Amino acid sequence: RRVMGMFDLHGVRSMIASSLLRVLRPSARQINGASRLGPPFFRHQRPNFVASAAFAQLRFTGSVANAPPPLQPPAKISDHKSVSRTNAFKQALRQPTADREKILRALDALPSAQNMPVEAVARTVYEVSAQIYNHETKRLARQHPKIKALFASLVGNVSQLSEMQQTSLIWSFANLQHDDRELFEEIVETIKAKFHECQPRTVAQFIWACATVGYRDQEVFMMLRERLFVDLNNFNSKDLANIIWAFAKSDFSDEEVFDLLIREMTSVAEAGQLNGQQLVNVMCAVGPTSFASGKKFAEDMVPYIWRSLSQHSPLSLSNLLWALSRRSVYNEALFSEAAPLIINQLDKFPPQPLAMTLWAYAAAQHYDVQLLLKASQRLVPMLVRCDQQQLSMFCHAYATFFIPDRTLWNAMIPSIILHKAEFDLRGLVSVLWSLTVLDMDARLLFFSLTPLLVEFWKSSNCVAEKDKLQLFQVYLALKLSNKLDHMPLPDSIIADCEETWYRVIPNSATHSSSRFEQTVRKCLDDLHERYQSEYMDVYTIDFALPEEKIAIEVHGHLHYMSNAHKLNGSTRLKHRLLKSLGWKVVDIAYFELESFDSVASQQAYIAKLLQTARTTPLPEIPEERAYTLGRRSP
């Protein structure tokens, strides 16, 4: 009794439930000492602690003196048939071959909302939602009349639920992506009314649910901000992971709060208290953000990811690599070690993780032949199940790696046409640019997507510069290849893209030359070549001999795969278009320059390349293929 106040919650519980009962064999007076903490103390403790204290007192005194009213457990479903129906739903989903018909039969067998206590309805909804993990089953569940009726019966009754039940309800709502604005706002207002008294777990689940369903409420995030600065130490790693994810998902721009959360998560990781799934959640949240602390956190987490590499599932690995690539954090050894782990279970990957994996490796420019081969084999039969975002990511990845796999693209193009109505402007341009990089004959696709592209262009207030630059390259490639009898793009869009190109590209040339460019410049000077640096003819040419139409391109590490001497797709497109414009392209690779041990050997190498270019005849370009529209003089 004298030291009771020195123990935290778990210490008090441990003393009552273990020491007193098993060792000291206390008297009734000693047990009553714990109850003198009073109802206010018990009211704020977890139910298992209250139960332990009450049990200890009841065992020795026969009653619970000065204790709060017993906590009521969640009301049970009114009859045993309802329980068995919910269990039947669980069993149906646990079947490895659960198909659409089995799931629908299980949903049909769920108990009716009529004559069920509100607590039982909330529990049923939660148990159903907790068994659902894939998008198709979620879609079937949220569209089913039984689920809709269960949710509808909760409208106006949310305040009757306990805090834990409200937390479970809002999680179920978000997990199923249920569409009932009235019910969700009722849950939100109920929790907001007692926000500062809620348990940290309730706060974290509440914020996560709001972000998941796309509910934007500035007041909620301001309340969370106040709570975090006062009560951060009481949130565990799982709560913090959910909150960070919600911040990123909701685009809540508060760098001070974000930095606070990241510092806390870094401390948790350093203490070894961050498990694999929480690390995945935080990394996926940090990936899309632009805050400097997010990139620093991603860099700091690389050693933790490396040490636990074999403990992550392939799906978790794909998420982690995607997050690292989003923050431009690349570790060649990590990507190399992860590839075999992913390949071994690639045949089990659904479309979204497969798209994220390929996008991550493409963004890092990490070329793994076995991964790409396996991914192509896996991708072809599943293309009919891919959505527009996944198709766009696949196109970008294979264009970056420059893999013109005819079998793959013959299956990809019909899928793109099938889902064309789902694409946004960014996705349409990305797909067209990817096919242009690979020099695929996609006239049918181009004519199919152009009307949608024009419609988006007219309705958009501000088209991104990147989209204009890529679309101009698409137009230029089609114009120079003479594959189209007429250009379906309106002149106004072409002129807009062209104006952006000639405004951005000349200014994007680096004013400070790399050491490889400086080496080439010195060699050209010693060879007495009459060159012009940063010469502009549609593209910016590193060193040009205009009279001979020779373009000398010096390529550093960024133009190649990070782990292979293979040019990336965008560089290959530049070479092809320069050749179509009448230039003879001389490619000087950084690794070739590094292989020579003297300046004289470097000069000889460059002189040989120039001699080869001079003896190669200039390509003949028919007049109808010449690029003349708005052509700027060098």
Side-chain angles (χ1 to χ4, degrees), residues 281-553:
N281 292 343
V282 177
M283 288 295 295
C284 287
V286 165
T289 62
S290 58
F291 299 130
S293 58
K295 182 174 177 113
K296 179 67 166 55
F297 177 80
E299 292 171 344
D300 291 342
M301 290 302 105
V302 169
Y304 295 95
I305 297 172
W306 181 271
R307 287 199 295 267
S308 61
L309 202 59
S310 60
Q311 301 173 16
H312 290 287
S313 68
L315 297 182
S316 295
L317 274 179
S318 67
N319 286 329
L320 289 170
L321 297 177
W322 172 84
L324 289 172
S325 297
R326 282 295 301 267
R327 295 316 306 258
S328 301
V329 177
Y330 172 62
N331 183 292
E332 182 179 337
L334 177 62
F335 275 75
S336 298
E337 287 291 328
L341 300 175
I342 295 173
I343 290 171
N344 288 338
Q345 298 196 36
L346 202 60
D347 57 341
K348 300 178 183 178
F349 271 43
Q352 182 64 19
L354 182 58
M356 293 176 67
T357 300
L358 290 182
W359 186 93
Y361 274 82
Q365 296 196 151
H366 188 98
Y367 185 66
D368 190 291
V369 178
Q370 290 300 319
L371 176 62
L372 293 170
L373 178 63
K374 286 280 189 180
S376 298
Q377 296 171 351
R378 172 65 176 155
L379 179 57
V380 171
M382 72 161 59
L383 280 172
V384 293
R385 295 190 286 123
C386 295
D387 61 25
Q388 53 84 17
Q389 184 185 32
Q390 293 155 5
L391 290 170
S392 180
M393 294 172 77
F394 288 133
C395 288
H396 169 79
Y398 281 97
T400 300
F401 291 124
F402 195 78
I403 302 178
D405 186 332
R406 296 288 173 180
T407 303
L408 174 63
W409 288 102
N410 287 340
M412 183 90 75
I413 291 174
S415 296
I416 294 171
I417 295 175
L418 179 65
H419 293 279
K420 65 180 183 180
E422 303 171 11
F423 279 86
D424 56 9
L425 180 60
R426 173 88 280 274
L428 291 173
V429 174
S430 178
V431 167
L432 292 174
W433 181 83
S434 299
L435 292 168
T436 302
V437 168
L438 296 167
D439 199 17
M440 305 292 290
D441 187 0
R443 284 171 285 184
L444 175 63
L445 180 64
F446 188 75
F447 278 105
S448 178
L449 298 185
T450 297
L452 285 172
L453 191 148
V454 173
E455 183 179 343
F456 275 123
W457 203 282
K458 291 179 179 178
S459 61
S460 177
N461 295 327
C462 182
V463 180
E465 275 188 353
K466 181 179 180 180
D467 294 336
K468 293 181 181 180
L469 297 177
Q470 288 190 340
L471 190 59
F472 179 74
Q473 290 175 297
V474 173
Y475 156 74
L476 190 62
L478 291 170
K479 175 71 175 176
L480 296 174
S481 65
N482 199 29
K483 289 181 179 179
L484 297 179
D485 296 330
H486 67 281
M487 190 62 60
L489 284 174
D491 290 345
S492 58
I493 294 181
I494 295 174
D496 189 8
C497 294
E498 188 181 37
E499 187 278 329
T500 303
W501 179 273
Y502 284 103
R503 175 172 49 83
V504 173
I505 296 301
N507 296 325
S508 64
T510 56
H511 297 288
S512 58
S513 301
S514 67
R515 64 185 180 93
F516 301 113
E517 290 181 356
Q518 292 172 4
T519 300
V520 173
R521 185 189 302 275
K522 186 177 186 308
C523 290
L524 291 174
D525 289 337
D526 293 341
L527 293 170
H528 306 291
E529 296 289 350
R530 299 177 62 185
Y531 65 88
Q532 294 184 32
S533 59
E534 305 300 341
Y535 184 87
M536 185 68 186
D537 185 11
V538 183
Y539 281 98
T540 302
I541 301 171
D542 292 336
F543 302 99
L545 307 179
E547 294 178 358
E548 300 177 86
K549 294 290 285 186
I550 296 177
I552 303 172
E553 286 287 288

Side-chain angles (χ1 to χ4, degrees), residues 519 522-523 526-527 593 596-606:
T519 300
K522 186 177 186 308
C523 290
D526 293 341
L527 293 170
L593 285 178
F596 299 107
D597 55 3
S598 67
V599 175
S601 56
Q602 290 175 339
Q603 289 180 6
Y605 168 69
I606 293 175

Side-chain angles (χ1 to χ4, degrees), residues 160-175:
Q160 300 179 30
L161 301 174
S162 67
E163 179 184 318
M164 185 177 295
Q165 291 165 340
Q166 291 169 356
T167 305
S168 299
L169 176 59
I170 199 168
W171 179 88
S172 305
F173 191 108
N175 188 48

